Structure formats: structure tokens, C-alpha cells
Amino acid sequence: MSPPAAGFSLPGSLMKLDSGFAVPTKLQNIRKGDRERLRIQAVFSFPPRNGQAEKRKQLKQELLEAIEPLERGATAMPDDQLRIDQLARKVEAVNPTDEPLKSDLINGKWELIYTTSAAILQAKKPRFLRSITNYQCINMDTLKVQRMETWPFYNSVTGDLTPLNSKKVAVKLQMFKILGFIPVKAPDSARGELEITYVDEELRISRGKGNLLFILKMFDPTYQIPL
């Protein structure tokens, strides 16, 4: 009797394989289970490449939606401030820029959309006497900073930056312009520090002395501070 040809099948414990070699059914089922388990593990162990970007986008959106009704922080109550701070920290945790001060993303004209700085908000003033929009400009190539108000007074101030590390700068204000054109020299005490805790093409989060929080959106990345 001739030996069975390669690829033969036997009932019960053996099954036919395309390779021509028979493997016990029980062992084959185990191997299938192992492959399926490994496939599932691989899916959960290696999330899609855009997963971090999607998470960042969602966290930013949650922060912006929470900020929107607060008039840049002027109407924020303590509970609002706590919630914004918590949301900001979640965004800071996914900062895509490890060394903000070495990145071109930091440069340009930024619009302030939220802050806890009472000096900037001027919340005790009647609304018609508060600046409608505030801008903060940074040029790391010239180590200059500028803050500008719009209507009704158009006040501004410029200053110098001294990098302390790749995320933090010392700020020394130099010259105020009242009503946009009356120069007033800043006092020597007009100093501070600013840490950039998040920056991308659209959004920047910074923290100052006393954990003051500043959240800004990009307005003009090409803006240059007049020298």
C-alpha cells in the first residue's frame, strides 16, 4: 500500500493544512488563540500615531470652551479659576514643544484670551474703561517683549528678555507708551519672570510670579517688535 500523499487528512485529531503537514486540531486551536491574543495586545499596546494629537486637540477645545464666557477672566469666580487651571494643566501635560524658547513657535503677536492677572484685567474698572483686546508679543531673536492694549487707551509697554533656561525668561520692562505715544520710562522694579508651559502653532500657556496664568492664541506669527 502506498504511503499517503503530503496534504492528506485524517479524521478526529488531525486536520489538513495548506503546507501539507498535519497538526493536531487541539494544538492548531491553541495557536489560533495565541495569534488572536497577540493581535489584540498589539492593538492596545501601540495606539494610532495620531492618538496623541487627537487627545491634545480635545483638551485644547475643552479649555477654550471653558474660557469663552469669562471675558478673558474678568468675570471668573474662584471656582471658574480653579477649573480653568485644572484644564490648563491637562493641556500643559501634552505640550508638544520641549524647549519653547528655542522654537520659532514662540515668536509673534499673541492675543490674550484668559488671565488671572488683576493688573491686566482691571476688573474693578467700568467695562467701558477696560481694554477691549490685549496682545503680548515676543521676539526671541532680539530678546524683546511687548504688551499692547486696544481701545480705549492704546497703552503699551516694551521690555527685554533674559533666558533663564529653555522654558523660562526674566522680564525687565523698559518703556511705557501712554495713549500709544506718550513715553514713560518704566521703574527699575518693573521686573518679573515668565515660564512657557505650552506652545504650538495656535495656543500658548504661560505662568508668571504667584502662579499667574496667561492663555493666548496666535494672532500674527510674523509680527516684529519695533526696536
Side-chain angles (χ1 to χ4, degrees):
M1 182 178 178
S2 302
F8 73 99
S9 60
L10 292 177
S13 63
L14 296 179
M15 64 181 294
K16 182 179 178 181
L17 294 179
D18 291 338
S19 63
F21 292 94
V23 178
T25 304
K26 185 177 180 180
L27 181 58
Q28 177 64 15
N29 289 336
I30 292 173
R31 290 184 177 178
K32 282 184 178 179
D34 289 343
R35 286 200 300 270
E36 181 65 17
R37 185 164 55 253
L38 289 172
R39 186 186 70 80
I40 293 172
Q41 288 176 349
V43 169
F44 285 96
S45 299
F46 301 97
R49 291 183 179 180
N50 65 348
Q52 186 78 345
E54 285 300 316
K55 178 181 179 181
R56 187 181 303 119
K57 181 179 178 181
Q58 180 180 348
L59 291 173
K60 286 167 56 178
Q61 187 62 33
E62 290 176 1
L63 176 62
L64 294 174
E65 288 177 357
I67 285 171
E68 187 175 5
L70 299 179
E71 296 185 15
R72 290 176 293 165
T75 62
M77 302 300 290
D79 286 348
D80 297 318
Q81 292 179 340
L82 178 60
R83 180 167 182 253
I84 298 300
D85 186 81
Q86 291 172 340
L87 291 172
R89 290 185 186 278
K90 290 182 180 180
V91 175
E92 290 167 332
V94 293
N95 181 19
T97 311
D98 293 332
E99 298 183 310
L101 297 180
K102 296 181 180 181
S103 170
D104 287 338
L105 294 174
I106 197 71
N107 296 313
K109 187 176 184 178
W110 297 84
E111 180 182 345
L112 182 71
I113 58 175
Y114 178 86
T115 185
T116 54
S117 170
I120 293 177
L121 290 173
Q122 300 178 339
K124 294 182 179 180
K125 288 185 177 181
R127 186 171 299 181
F128 70 90
L129 292 179
R130 301 178 204 161
S131 173
I132 293 177
T133 309
N134 290 61
Y135 296 103
Q136 187 186 86
C137 313
I138 292 178
N139 289 153
M140 287 305 297
D141 55 341
T142 57
L143 294 178
K144 293 292 182 183
V145 65
Q146 181 182 36
R147 195 177 77 212
M148 297 182 288
E149 300 176 355
T150 58
W151 175 269
F153 298 115
Y154 294 95
N155 296 326
S156 67
V157 61
T158 54
D160 297 328
L161 300 174
T162 302
L164 301 177
N165 54 42
S166 62
K167 297 181 179 180
K168 183 182 288 189
V169 291
V171 181
K172 172 63 176 75
L173 300 182
Q174 297 290 355
M175 187 66 66
F176 291 93
K177 282 193 176 180
I178 310 302
L179 302 177
F181 66 92
I182 303 173
V184 177
K185 185 174 175 59
D188 188 63
S189 59
R191 300 172 181 267
E193 292 183 358
L194 193 67
E195 182 176 7
I196 313 301
T197 54
Y198 181 95
V199 66
D200 63 17
E201 295 86 352
E202 305 170 320
L203 188 74
R204 173 161 65 86
I205 302 177
S206 303
R207 293 185 182 268
K209 186 177 180 181
N211 200 35
L212 291 177
L213 179 61
F214 304 89
I215 303 176
L216 309 97
K217 66 178 182 180
M218 175 53 74
F219 183 80
D220 179 4
T222 66
Y223 180 81
Q224 291 290 316
I225 300 170
L227 298 177

